[in-house]
Amino acid sequence: MSSPINNSVLIVDDIPTNIKVLFDILNQAGFRVSVAKNGLSALAKVQETLPNLILLDVMMPGMDGFETCRHLKANPKTKDIPVIFMTALSDTVNKVKGLQIGAVDYITKPIEYEEVLARINVHLELRRTQLKLAQEEKMSSLGQLVAGIAHEINNPVNFIYGNLTHAQNYVGDLLNLLKLYENHTVNPSPEIQAFSKSIELEFIKQDLPHLLSSMQMGTERVEKIVRSLRLFSRLEDPEFQLFNLHEGIDSTLIILSHRLKILPTDSTIHIIKEYGDIPLVECYSGKLNQVFMNLLANAIDALEESVVNRETTDTLTIWIRTKVVDDQKSVLIEITDNGVGIPLEVQQRIFEQFFTTKPLGKGTGLGLAIAHEIIVEKHGGTLQVQSTPGKGTQFLITIPIQQVIRY
């Protein structure tokens, strides 16, 4: 179950005595608590703090709890926050009404300590599980989609790539044959001379080998992207396997390469790779690729924001460093950018479940809480953030080289 300290609860009640009782219960249990004394105040506060759960009194002057809940559920930003109604009413009609408009549960006054904590913890864990399942389904579907696209692209690319070598040889032979004809034909007919001029034969002889070479480079580039897509799509690894972390990072960078040019300013993000001599790591490769994708996409977002806000004149840069840590048991991966940085209050919540600073529909879909879970819980590693607003951000990942069997 997720730790209370990583969860925030908003209490909405117009009676100070009730607020104090609930505040003391939740604060003592380790939750972060905020308070609103009426419906309008709650709607304003929830936009600022996005709590993990809301305790909402039914009977309040002005906007009552039912109307407040309707507004919360109508807002895409707040509709998924669990709402537990608090009421002294015991009749079934009001309870059914609350559940019909989106509440997940009821707490009956007077408040009982164990009941409050039990219901809150149950619904927070349900929400966490729901998000985790939704994320796993989303990433599984993405992996299948990416693998399917890579497979479909791979066949025609291999066909083109395999035939380009023969095409270059054929063209070379034809150009040599043409040269022999020119050497042994003293006075070509006026018709041949006219046609040669009209098609710019001299230019074709010079440009055709370059054209085929460019086609080969382009095909190699597509083949490299396909390999990266296939590598990234390994999201459902059934067991730990040895994996080249550099290969995973490089494949992620290829997929994100279209974002390294920031429009409309045409600012270019520079990637500096300082790879150390690291061994293959025992891990879930697909899940680590998800983490790399999330952290690198976040770094690009931060650099884009610094350009949009005109907060930097420095060269936009992402540094990626790897090395074996001193104990020789883990690998350290550092991903650093010189973007806008992360405010201190956000740093304190950045790995929380449900927490995001991005507007609806923006982002890769993998939150830092899930990235933290992949690194810490699934691999026994660490994920830390160091950031100075206006200067940039650094994420530090450690991954054990060999996994300890957990019974």
Side-chain angles (χ1 to χ4, degrees):
M1 184 171 291
S2 55
S3 170
I5 199 67
N6 290 326
N7 288 295
S8 60
V9 177
L10 172 63
I11 301 170
V12 188
D13 200 318
D14 62 318
I15 300 176
T17 306
N18 292 338
I19 291 174
K20 185 178 187 309
V21 170
L22 286 165
F23 187 93
D24 290 344
I25 291 173
L26 297 175
N27 192 48
Q28 185 179 345
F31 290 94
R32 291 198 321 277
V33 185
S34 55
V35 173
K37 294 184 178 180
N38 56 62
L40 288 174
S41 176
L43 294 177
K45 183 154 288 188
V46 80
Q47 293 290 332
E48 300 171 5
T49 61
L50 277 182
N52 302 132
L53 183 140
I54 299 171
L55 293 177
L56 180 58
D57 188 27
V58 171
M59 304 300 292
M60 293 185 295
M63 182 184 291
D64 65 12
F66 294 135
E67 187 63 25
T68 304
C69 187
R70 286 192 189 94
H71 281 279
L72 289 168
K73 297 304 172 182
N75 186 337
K77 190 176 180 182
T78 60
K79 68 181 180 67
D80 293 322
I81 300 174
V83 174
I84 298 178
F85 273 127
M86 303 180 293
T87 181
L89 301 173
S90 58
D91 58 289
T92 304
V93 173
N94 281 287
K95 290 185 177 181
V96 171
K97 180 179 178 181
L99 295 172
Q100 285 176 339
I101 62 177
V104 296
D105 208 346
Y106 264 91
I107 294 174
T108 304
K109 298 177 183 178
I111 302 299
E112 293 289 339
Y113 180 92
E114 289 82 2
E115 180 189 10
V116 170
L117 291 182
R119 291 183 186 276
I120 287 175
N121 283 323
V122 163
H123 288 293
L124 285 174
E125 189 62 21
L126 283 172
R127 176 70 179 139
R128 179 177 181 271
T129 303
Q130 180 187 30
L131 285 177
K132 184 177 178 181
L133 290 173
Q135 181 63 43
E136 288 178 354
E137 183 179 356
K138 181 193 299 183
M139 296 310 294
S140 176
S141 299
L142 175 63
Q144 294 173 15
L145 176 63
V146 169
I149 292 172
H151 177 74
E152 291 301 319
I153 295 174
N154 195 51
N155 289 335
V157 167
N158 283 340
F159 175 79
I160 295 169
Y161 187 72
N163 283 291
L164 265 175
T165 301
H166 299 300
Q168 287 173 317
N169 291 334
Y170 296 158
V171 167
D173 290 342
L174 289 173
L175 289 175
N176 288 332
L177 178 62
L178 179 60
K179 186 176 181 181
L180 284 173
Y181 271 110
E182 290 175 336
N183 290 340
H184 291 85
T185 305
V186 179
N187 294 310
S189 69
E191 184 180 1
I192 292 176
Q193 293 182 35
F195 185 73
S196 299
K197 186 176 181 180
S198 68
I199 65 171
E200 300 183 2
L201 180 60
E202 292 302 317
F203 174 77
I204 289 176
K205 289 192 293 186
Q206 295 177 15
D207 190 56
L208 189 53
H210 297 302
L211 182 65
L212 290 171
S213 179
S214 296
M215 291 171 64
Q216 183 171 15
M217 288 175 60
T219 308
E220 289 172 354
R221 170 71 175 167
V222 175
E223 188 182 40
K224 196 172 182 182
I225 292 171
V226 170
R227 285 201 306 269
S228 298
L229 288 172
R230 292 169 75 95
L231 184 65
F232 181 77
S233 70
R234 291 159 57 180
L235 303 178
E236 298 300 323
D237 301 333
E239 57 187 22
F240 289 114
Q241 53 189 272
L242 293 176
F243 181 55
N244 185 328
L245 293 179
H246 294 162
E247 197 174 278
I249 295 169
D250 288 343
S251 70
T252 306
L253 287 170
I254 289 172
I255 295 171
L256 288 171
S257 61
H258 68 287
R259 294 196 57 200
L260 298 181
K261 176 82 74 174
I262 299 176
L263 302 174
T265 63
D266 282 338
S267 302
T268 299
I269 297 174
H270 296 270
I271 304 294
I272 297 178
K273 293 186 285 190
E274 299 175 3
Y275 288 169
D277 184 12
I278 64 172
L280 299 178
V281 170
E282 198 173 20
C283 65
Y284 295 114
S285 59
K287 293 191 181 300
L288 283 189
N289 284 339
Q290 293 178 49
V291 175
F292 297 149
M293 175 68 74
N294 182 250
L295 297 182
L296 288 167
N298 283 344
I300 293 171
D301 289 342
L303 292 167
E304 285 182 343
E305 189 176 341
S306 68
V307 170
V308 171
N309 297 340
R310 299 180 181 177
E311 295 181 7
T312 183
T313 56
D314 297 335
T315 301
L316 305 178
T317 308
I318 296 174
W319 293 266
I320 306 170
R321 304 180 180 94
T322 62
K323 68 175 183 179
V324 177
V325 299
D326 293 338
D327 66 3
Q328 302 296 307
K329 294 181 180 179
S330 299
V331 169
L332 173 66
I333 305 145
E334 300 176 8
I335 297 177
T336 307
D337 67 74
N338 59 349
V340 292
I342 304 172
L344 182 59
E345 62 273 16
V346 175
Q347 291 182 47
Q348 294 171 344
R349 301 188 62 190
I350 201 166
F351 297 123
E352 289 181 19
Q353 292 288 340
F354 324 127
F355 181 74
T356 180
T357 59
K358 294 181 179 178
L360 190 69
K362 182 174 174 59
T364 63
L366 176 66
L368 285 171
I370 298 176
H372 188 270
E373 180 182 320
I374 290 172
I375 297 298
V376 177
E377 295 183 21
K378 292 192 178 296
H379 291 88
T382 63
L383 175 58
Q384 299 174 310
V385 61
Q386 299 174 357
S387 184
T388 302
K391 298 291 185 181
T393 300
Q394 181 181 63
F395 283 95
L396 300 102
I397 306 168
T398 61
I399 298 289
I401 295 171
Q402 289 184 314
Q403 288 294 321
V404 177
I405 299 176
R406 301 181 180 93
Y407 295 98

